[in-house]
Amino acid sequence: MKRLIAIAGAVVATAAFGGWMLHAHDADGSKTARTASDWIPKVKAEARGWKPDAELVAIEFFNFGFAVDPTTHFPDMTKSGPPAAIMYSFYSKSAKDGVRVSVNVQDLPEEQRKLMEQRGWKPMQFDHFQAPWSPYTLPIPEDVDLDYQKAIDAARKDIAEQCQGQHQYGNCELMSGLELHMFWNGQGDRTGHPVWTVKFGQDPLTLETVEREVDGATGQVVAFDPRKKGDEQAKLFEGEPTKLHNVSVTLSEPGFQGLWRGVNAAVRQQDPLYKPYAVSLAANVSVQKPDDTVRLGEMYVQYVRQTPSLVWEDMTVHVEGRGKTLNVIFETPERHSAPIQPIPTALEADKLPNADNILKMLAGIFPKAYHEIYYSDYQGCQSTTFGNVTRQECGVWMQQEHRTDVVFFWLTRQGNPWWNAKENPIDSELKMVSDAVPEGGWVWWTRIKQGDVWKYTIVDAETGRQLPNVCTNPNSGQNTIRSQPC
């Protein structure tokens, strides 16, 4: 059974780097025994040729072979040999992107090496993928102890009971992977802590990979309890995103401000790492009163789970009910990966200025009898008359006209991606409004449909100042959008 050990203490200085002799060849072809730390200056120079602020965030050892019997020179299938490659992952904060620099450390025969070099092979390879190889973003400090042998020895000792009886015939104790990164342990953690993940073969009972995590500073095996609130990284990378429990809240204030505080308090109580980044509100024009706060029919808030990683979670929260006690419904979070799906910039919920006056102003631009027309398709029956003969054909797709007085108000930030809420604007609308907003600005906005012109009213969320209106032709998300006079 793994022990639960608190991670504490300062990162120790680099010790003598033991373990495998990892062979490589210098530019002149001479063979030099190297360790993983010996390659760091070279791989860092390679990565910083891409971006000057590239930081080392993970080191991985791959393709472990079998040890070689020193007497017979045959592979010993009961023991692990050295890895064939080391992969160094880097991350650039300015680019919000990463690269990988790989080093081949196999002890290749001279003839094979020369043949491979003639075909373009190099011992060190730079790769910039569509998405970074490693999801981690916390840099590994230069003074972190890179003596992986301590981690391997501690992990191997800890799995002895689990792999008992498998030494000769199974692969339970054979090394299959080794990785180091800075483990992030919650909101108060600013730098992370070095943790080695040591992987072996299969458990003889479950057939799952045997794995241990070892504290890079103390050399002790650690276990991260998934029930402990601080162990945020485990919840982020293992299994499916955790869905929050629906709750009821009693509001202490009227209007949007009361809803906003109640919903965000409900989220914070369960997972304070979720921060809001978009709001979608719906209201009926017919029920609004001139001197009252806006009467909202629906409220959706989009949240991003903020961790120092390129893997992020997106969650939609909506409110159901009427009166002072409402149900807060948490939809299943979705997991994304940057930079393909950019991480939104969130806001601190308590720092959003009271928006009730802004929303009251936006609601006031809609005439009392305002209606929007939209259409839906349905299968019905169609009659055609030829003289005295009437022919009826059913199952025909027909169009039905609807009229609604429902209007929408949105809170967005310039540069944030489109979000997946029920009443959010279409992607082309969000982009158009973002182009009209100062860089990084938070705005409240709505649109009013006036025949062939859609008029967008945009208000700075911080100052309450109205920005210039934007008018376009109707925006379906499929057609070309052109500016129109307002």
Side-chain angles (χ1 to χ4, degrees):
M1 178 67 67
K2 291 200 291 184
R3 302 168 300 282
L4 182 64
I5 301 172
I7 295 183
V11 177
V12 299
T14 304
F17 200 84
W20 307 291
M21 297 300 286
L22 305 173
H23 294 285
H25 291 80
D26 288 334
D28 60 2
S30 61
K31 186 165 69 175
T32 306
R34 295 188 182 277
T35 62
S37 58
D38 290 329
W39 280 99
I40 287 181
K42 287 193 172 186
V43 296
K44 279 187 175 180
E46 188 79 6
R48 287 172 181 171
W50 166 67
K51 296 291 180 185
D53 67 337
E55 296 282 359
L56 179 64
V57 294
I59 304 174
E60 300 174 81
F61 297 79
F62 273 83
N63 296 334
F64 286 82
F66 296 114
V68 176
D69 189 299
T71 304
T72 64
H73 301 289
F74 290 132
D76 184 346
M77 299 181 69
T78 65
K79 297 178 181 178
S80 303
I86 311 174
M87 298 180 181
Y88 301 83
S89 290
F90 292 84
Y91 179 72
S92 162
K93 288 184 179 179
S94 63
K96 297 182 180 179
D97 198 2
V99 294
R100 187 187 74 185
V101 182
S102 306
V103 179
N104 188 303
V105 291
Q106 297 179 90
D107 187 15
L108 299 172
E110 187 69 14
E111 290 185 3
Q112 182 181 351
R113 179 186 66 82
K114 288 183 177 180
L115 180 62
M116 291 170 64
E117 286 178 346
Q118 289 173 3
R119 297 181 178 179
W121 175 85
K122 295 180 181 179
M124 189 168 69
Q125 180 175 328
F126 175 93
D127 291 301
H128 182 199
F129 302 110
Q130 186 179 13
W133 177 263
S134 171
Y136 306 115
T137 59
L138 288 177
I140 299 175
E142 293 184 359
D143 59 354
V144 165
D145 186 355
L146 296 181
D147 186 358
Y148 53 75
Q149 196 59 50
K150 289 192 303 184
I152 295 172
D153 293 342
R156 183 167 277 128
K157 181 179 179 181
D158 202 70
I159 68 169
E161 183 179 349
Q162 184 177 355
C163 296
Q164 189 173 8
Q166 296 295 313
H167 180 73
Q168 186 172 0
Y169 302 105
N171 67 356
C172 186
E173 294 181 317
L174 292 179
M175 286 277 299
S176 63
L178 180 65
E179 183 265 350
L180 173 72
H181 73 273
M182 302 302 288
F183 189 102
W184 184 73
N185 202 42
Q187 283 184 304
D189 191 354
R190 300 294 179 225
T191 61
H193 194 91
V195 170
W196 289 97
T197 300
V198 189
K199 295 183 179 181
F200 298 91
Q202 290 179 309
D203 182 288
L205 299 178
T206 66
L207 300 182
E208 294 182 357
T209 300
V210 176
E211 184 176 310
R212 293 294 186 272
E213 288 166 326
V214 180
D215 188 319
T218 66
Q220 293 180 297
V221 174
V222 293
F224 298 102
D225 187 346
R227 296 168 297 179
K228 189 178 174 184
K229 289 183 179 180
D231 297 330
E232 305 297 349
Q233 183 172 262
K235 288 192 291 184
L236 182 64
F237 290 101
E238 295 176 8
E240 295 297 319
T242 303
K243 183 177 180 179
L244 306 190
H245 299 290
N246 299 340
V247 296
S248 294
V249 297
T250 301
L251 307 182
S252 58
E253 301 174 72
F256 170 78
Q257 189 72 359
L259 281 169
W260 180 249
R261 288 181 175 172
V263 169
N264 283 288
V267 173
R268 264 196 308 267
Q269 287 173 3
Q270 296 192 54
D271 193 333
L273 295 181
Y274 276 111
K275 306 289 184 182
Y277 75 89
V279 178
S280 177
L281 307 173
N284 295 84
V285 174
S286 59
V287 301
Q288 304 306 315
K289 293 187 176 181
D291 298 323
D292 199 359
T293 55
V294 175
R295 299 190 177 190
L296 300 172
E298 291 185 309
M299 176 176 177
Y300 288 80
V301 185
Q302 205 75 8
Y303 288 82
V304 56
R305 193 163 187 266
Q306 294 189 315
T307 59
S309 166
L310 294 176
V311 175
W312 62 282
E313 289 172 9
D314 193 30
M315 179 180 66
T316 303
V317 177
H318 72 275
V319 178
E320 292 182 352
R322 293 291 184 271
K324 288 188 176 182
T325 301
L326 302 171
N327 295 321
V328 181
I329 310 299
F330 301 100
E331 298 182 9
T332 302
E334 295 181 8
R335 188 163 290 168
H336 304 288
S337 180
I340 295 175
Q341 296 164 305
I343 303 174
T345 298
L347 57 79
E348 292 295 334
D350 294 339
K351 294 182 180 180
L352 178 68
N354 190 325
D356 280 315
N357 286 336
I358 294 176
L359 294 171
K360 181 178 176 182
M361 183 275 291
L362 292 177
I365 69 174
F366 293 92
K368 191 67 176 178
Y370 178 81
H371 283 86
E372 293 181 6
I373 298 174
Y374 68 96
Y375 299 90
S376 63
D377 294 327
Y378 70 100
Q379 284 184 299
C381 295
Q382 179 175 291
S383 297
T384 306
T385 301
F386 300 95
N388 296 325
V389 179
T390 299
R391 177 185 175 187
Q392 189 175 54
E393 184 179 1
C394 292
V396 178
W397 282 104
M398 305 177 71
Q399 197 174 67
Q400 183 176 3
E401 180 182 293
H402 303 270
R403 295 171 64 84
T404 178
D405 71 334
V406 177
V407 295
F408 304 99
F409 313 104
W410 296 293
L411 173 68
T412 60
R413 179 188 182 274
Q414 190 272 349
N416 272 355
W418 181 85
W419 72 99
N420 188 29
K422 179 183 176 183
E423 307 293 5
N424 60 335
I426 59 177
D427 193 13
S428 56
E429 284 185 298
L430 178 63
K431 182 181 185 306
M432 183 192 64
V433 171
S434 291
D435 290 343
V437 173
E439 184 176 359
W442 289 90
V443 293
W444 285 100
W445 56 285
T446 189
R447 56 163 151 72
I448 182 169
K449 299 179 181 179
Q450 301 169 317
D452 292 334
V453 177
W454 286 14
K455 182 179 180 180
Y456 294 81
T457 302
I458 308 169
V459 181
D460 187 301
E462 180 69 29
T463 66
R465 181 176 63 88
Q466 186 171 331
L467 302 178
N469 293 328
V470 176
C471 292
T472 71
N473 57 315
N475 189 339
S476 68
Q478 306 295 324
N479 60 322
T480 301
I481 302 306
R482 299 181 179 88
S483 296
Q484 302 274 32
C486 290

